[in-house]
Amino acid sequence: MHRSSEVKHVASYLNTRGCECFGQPCESHCPVLTDRTIHVQLKTFIKIRVKPDRTGVVTDGVKHSMNPFCEIAVEEAIKLKEKKLVKEVVAVSCGPQQVQETIRTALAMGADRGIHVEVSGKDYETLGPLQVSKIFAALAKKEQADLIILGKQAIDDDCNQTGQMIAALLDWPQGTFASEMTLEADKMKVVREVDGGLETIKIKLPAVVTADLRLNTPRYATLPNIMKAKKKKIANVKPADLGVDVCSRLEVLKVDEPPQRQAGVKVETVDDLVGKLKEAGRV
Amino acid sequence: MSRNDLYLIIVQQVLRAGFQAGRRFQSTGPQASARAAALREAHGGFSFELTDQQKEFQEVARKFAREEIVPAAPSYDRSGEYPFPLIKRAWELGLINGHIPEDCGGMGLGIFDACLITEELAFGCTGVQTAIEANSLGQMPVIIAGNDAQKKKYLGRMAEEPLMCAYCVTEPGAGSDVAGIKTRAVKKGDEYVVNGQKMWITNGGKANWYFLLACTDPDPKCPASKAFTGFVVEADTPGVQPGRKELNMGQRCSDTRGITFEDVRIPKENVLIGEGAGFKIAMGAFDKTRPPVAAGATGLAQRALEEATKYALERKTFGKFIAEHQAVSFLLAEMAMKVELARMAYQRAAWEVDQGRRNTYYASIAKAFAGDIANQCATDAVQIFGGNGFNSEYPVEKLMRDAKIYQIYEGTAQIQRLIISREHLGKFKQ
């Protein structure tokens, strides 16, 4: 159909940008900033091709960019700062040298300063939600953060664990899958998107909130802000400095592509359909 | 469609087609960067690497073009309506007026950075990009030849609000032959009185002010380099009469008009440099504006290439995707060759002028080449789409209509060849 091919062109632009699940829920953990001081952790996004040795996916030479849910988290943090409800927004990312680009994007959107927790090589390949949440818990204590906002999940591993683990480690309340957050005195009202609909909760600060798709629409970094962001500071920290052991307790056994989708069969009538289902033993 | 299916399609496409559609990937491995840095030291500076800031600028422009311009372009093309919302948005993001000096409220970007942004915007829609580019063209004479007061007044206001400006040189009777313009400016006391007709002025009906070139010495013995004067004219000056919006083949949303000047009075403070300096200013502006025009043509060609590639990987004939037939893949290969070379050409031209050198030779080569290949790539894209390409529901017929003007404005393809041959022979004779 003519119309759908036009839509397909727009959709595939988004796809070739690398986000196959744009517009659909996906797991990610991109911690966000803590209130008064807000921390954002930015997980990188990878375009999927399975490595020939099936130990993982190809990451060499692939452009990394901020996880979409993290963008939403950063946007929310900056909105809080613009409303003068928080004093400082700090963007945090764990990973190798390249994550500095992603932190710069957060700075260009309006974050005040960045923290780069350096994890590279083998450690980075096995870095998972448990290690990240430990790093974050340590940082939150060090920076005396009041609010941590993360994306609800990273779209590369779909874990949806980091936010919850950070809250558990710090023994802080959590508001996950937030589609709305409002600061009321020292409590955060969070409207959560749950399977049954929307749930509204009030949590006392300090707290952890994870951002869902409909929380806001992230702004573009403007060119003048990109230039200003160069002057903002990104501090360098190692996990050991925070007393965190990044050794993973998980071992990936193998990674496979999803199974080939078999061609479907078109049927003319409902009777044909029932007949075919019976043949296949489904009915 | 489930995410798994999307993964699969992408994996299949990558494995089958053997190349990546869409984004141009850059290697980001740390060992690769260290090796590259060492090589750069050894070679003494020649580099195709963009700075981090340039990459970020390019990202913003790319995202804006693909998410906001691409979806809106077909309806603007059909209606011919001026895309002011898009221009306003681009202005808010800082994508326009980048080369306005910092002390006038701009970012003082070089031509290279401006070209990177222009290519990305042109990918979205060259009509929108031309409307934006006309701002640069109008501002350039003021940037290169304006005194402080003129710069602060006319460039400053562009940085404060999303205003447009225009470059008024071409006339109904004189296009390539700039020295043949007849618009007359006569000095009367502290003012100049201008009478004449201008034509094909981009942003003619939307500009807040114009750069105007008029003849101040009609004596046939007076050489062209002394006979013309450059003025800045406020658009609301009495006597300035924009004509109707012209209906063109392509870039339809761009506002192109004739403008009549009837006893228009311009204060002498609005003369750039001085009486008789106009020709040189008008020509000097081109060295800085031709690379971005070449970049725009390259953006269009890139769009043609991407649309054609995507289609070729979806459409099947004789049992295979058409991209697997050599006739089509060879067409795509030639389009790719042309796009890459045009890009390198405009980048060289922009880099030369940013280094402070005279870049006329490179700028003309870039503009001539990019204009020609934009037309070739657009035509080839329509060919690859086949019958669908001829139809207005598919995006490529618009590209073909939009591309033609790149061989005409900002110096025709023939004028560019004149300039290149003159420069080339001049170098040879030394």
Side-chain angles (χ1 to χ4, degrees), chain A residues 195-227:
Chain A
D195 287 343
L198 296 172
E199 181 194 46
T200 308
I201 60 172
K202 269 208 184 114
I203 51 178
K204 258 169 96 169
L205 297 178
V208 176
V209 176
T210 71
D212 206 327
L213 189 66
R214 278 158 280 273
L215 183 57
N216 59 48
T217 310
R219 65 192 64 190
Y220 293 99
T222 69
L223 264 54
N225 281 348
I226 290 174
M227 288 179 82

Side-chain angles (χ1 to χ4, degrees), chain A residues 94-206:
Chain A
C94 304
Q97 196 54 24
Q98 294 116 279
V99 305
Q100 295 221 357
E101 282 173 37
T102 319
I103 300 178
R104 287 250 170 258
T105 310
L107 293 175
M109 284 169 74
D112 295 299
R113 59 186 169 92
I115 299 179
H116 171 204
V117 181
E118 225 181 298
V119 181
S120 35
K122 211 77 202 57
D123 283 339
Y124 182 60
E125 280 175 38
T126 56
L127 191 69
L130 182 57
Q131 294 83 10
V132 169
S133 47
K134 283 185 189 165
I135 291 172
F136 259 69
L139 265 175
K141 288 204 195 106
K142 185 158 168 257
E143 296 278 337
Q144 296 185 308
D146 297 295
L147 176 63
I148 303 184
I149 317 179
L150 302 74
K152 66 173 182 179
Q153 63 201 59
I155 60 176
D156 53 8
D157 58 18
D158 284 345
C159 286
N160 186 6
Q161 296 167 13
T162 311
Q164 293 86 334
M165 283 182 183
I166 298 175
L169 288 168
L170 289 169
D171 199 22
W172 285 6
Q174 55 181 274
T176 52
F177 311 106
S179 64
E180 220 184 287
M181 31 191 288
T182 332
L183 189 58
E184 291 169 3
D186 67 335
K187 291 207 179 63
M188 181 72 77
K189 187 176 96 173
V190 180
V191 177
R192 307 179 55 230
E193 291 200 10
V194 296
D195 287 343
L198 296 172
E199 181 194 46
T200 308
I201 60 172
K202 269 208 184 114
I203 51 178
K204 258 169 96 169
L205 297 178

